[in-house]
Amino acid sequence: ETNTLPFHPFEMQQGDILRMEKEHQVLKEQLKEAQEKYEQLQSRSSEEIGAVKELLKKSVEETEVSKNELDWLHQDLEIKVKKWQQEKKENKENLKALRNTAKKHADTNDRYSKTIDEKEKKYNGYLNTYLETSNKLANDKVKLEELIKKSQDDCQECVKRAVKAEISVLKNWKATEVYKLNSKAASAEANLKMLKSLSSLPSAAPKLKSQIDSWEIFISNVKKQLEKVQAEYEEKIQMVKNGVQNCLTKMETVELPSP
């Protein structure tokens, strides 16, 4: 029937034989891989066994060496034990001596402790006295600082007032000198104006020319002195403002004689 039905008893359904053949092939391949891995593991195990044998041989040799070293160590240990016992005996004697010394130090320490207690009481008394005195001095210091600050403020106020007074005096002196010189200049200009009006007459012009020149020179000198006075007083006022002392001196002006 052209292989269209399951082949009993080998197939429960169509294609079971083919599937079993495929599974058999897969199992053969897996068996082959497993055999290869087994051979590899066997080769590796042989190498590892050889290495372990070498290690075992080396360990046996080292054990022999260690046994000899152990014998040497036992001998060394016996020597050290004897030395330690001797040191123990010496340490015991030293400990006894140290205990005696410690007892002496303890007795000395007790005496020092009593002395320290007495001195500490005295120190506390001195400290209390010092603190009382220090507090009193601190209060006095605060009061003195307040007085000093008040004195400084008063001093600064006095300085300001003194500066204002000096500036006022200098300004008054300046105004007085300026007024005097301006008065001279105004009087001279009036005289010059009168002379110039008289010089317009032909008969009087030659006689009055020298007087006109003299008055013009006088007016020029007065104006120069006026500028000098103003400049010097302004300089002194600025110096007083900058805090320079001993600037309150009156400027001496040269008395210019009238023509």
Side-chain angles (χ1 to χ4, degrees), residues 95-113:
L95 180 62
K96 185 177 179 181
L98 286 173
R99 283 177 177 171
N100 293 330
T101 305
K103 187 174 183 304
K104 292 179 181 178
H105 288 322
D107 296 338
T108 305
N109 190 31
D110 291 337
R111 290 197 303 272
Y112 287 159
S113 297

Side-chain angles (χ1 to χ4, degrees), residues 74-214:
H74 281 159
Q75 294 175 2
D76 188 49
L77 181 61
E78 289 177 358
I79 294 170
K80 288 183 177 179
V81 167
K82 290 179 181 179
K83 185 178 178 181
W84 175 77
Q85 288 176 348
Q86 181 65 29
E87 290 178 351
K88 181 180 179 182
K89 183 180 178 182
E90 293 175 355
N91 289 334
K92 190 174 181 180
E93 293 175 355
N94 292 333
L95 180 62
K96 185 177 179 181
L98 286 173
R99 283 177 177 171
N100 293 330
T101 305
K103 187 174 183 304
K104 292 179 181 178
H105 288 322
D107 296 338
T108 305
N109 190 31
D110 291 337
R111 290 197 303 272
Y112 287 159
S113 297
K114 292 178 181 178
T115 305
I116 289 170
D117 291 338
E118 293 175 358
K119 290 187 176 182
E120 187 174 1
K121 290 178 182 178
K122 291 182 180 179
Y123 169 76
N124 289 329
Y126 293 149
L127 180 61
N128 292 330
T129 305
Y130 166 75
L131 291 175
E132 292 175 0
T133 307
S134 178
N135 291 331
K136 183 179 179 182
L137 291 174
N139 294 330
D140 294 341
K141 181 183 176 183
V142 171
K143 292 178 182 178
L144 287 174
E145 287 176 349
E146 291 176 354
L147 289 174
I148 289 169
K149 186 176 184 304
K150 186 175 182 301
S151 298
Q152 287 176 345
D153 294 339
D154 294 341
C155 181
Q156 289 178 358
E157 185 64 27
C158 290
V159 170
K160 290 179 182 178
R161 290 170 59 190
V163 169
K164 288 181 181 179
E166 289 184 10
I167 292 172
S168 177
V169 170
L170 289 171
K171 285 182 177 180
N172 288 332
W173 287 348
K174 174 188 170 185
T176 301
E177 294 297 327
V178 169
Y179 174 76
K180 288 159 88 176
L181 292 171
N182 280 331
S183 298
K184 283 185 180 181
S187 177
E189 287 175 354
N191 291 334
L192 180 61
K193 184 177 180 182
M194 183 181 65
L195 289 172
K196 284 183 177 181
S197 64
L198 292 174
S199 66
S200 62
L201 300 174
S203 60
K207 297 178 181 179
L208 297 177
K209 186 176 185 310
S210 62
Q211 293 187 27
I212 291 172
D213 293 339
S214 298

Side-chain angles (χ1 to χ4, degrees), residues 1 36 101 103 139 183 228 246 256:
E1 290 163 339
E36 291 175 354
T101 305
K103 187 174 183 304
N139 294 330
S183 298
K228 181 180 178 183
N246 300 325
L256 298 173

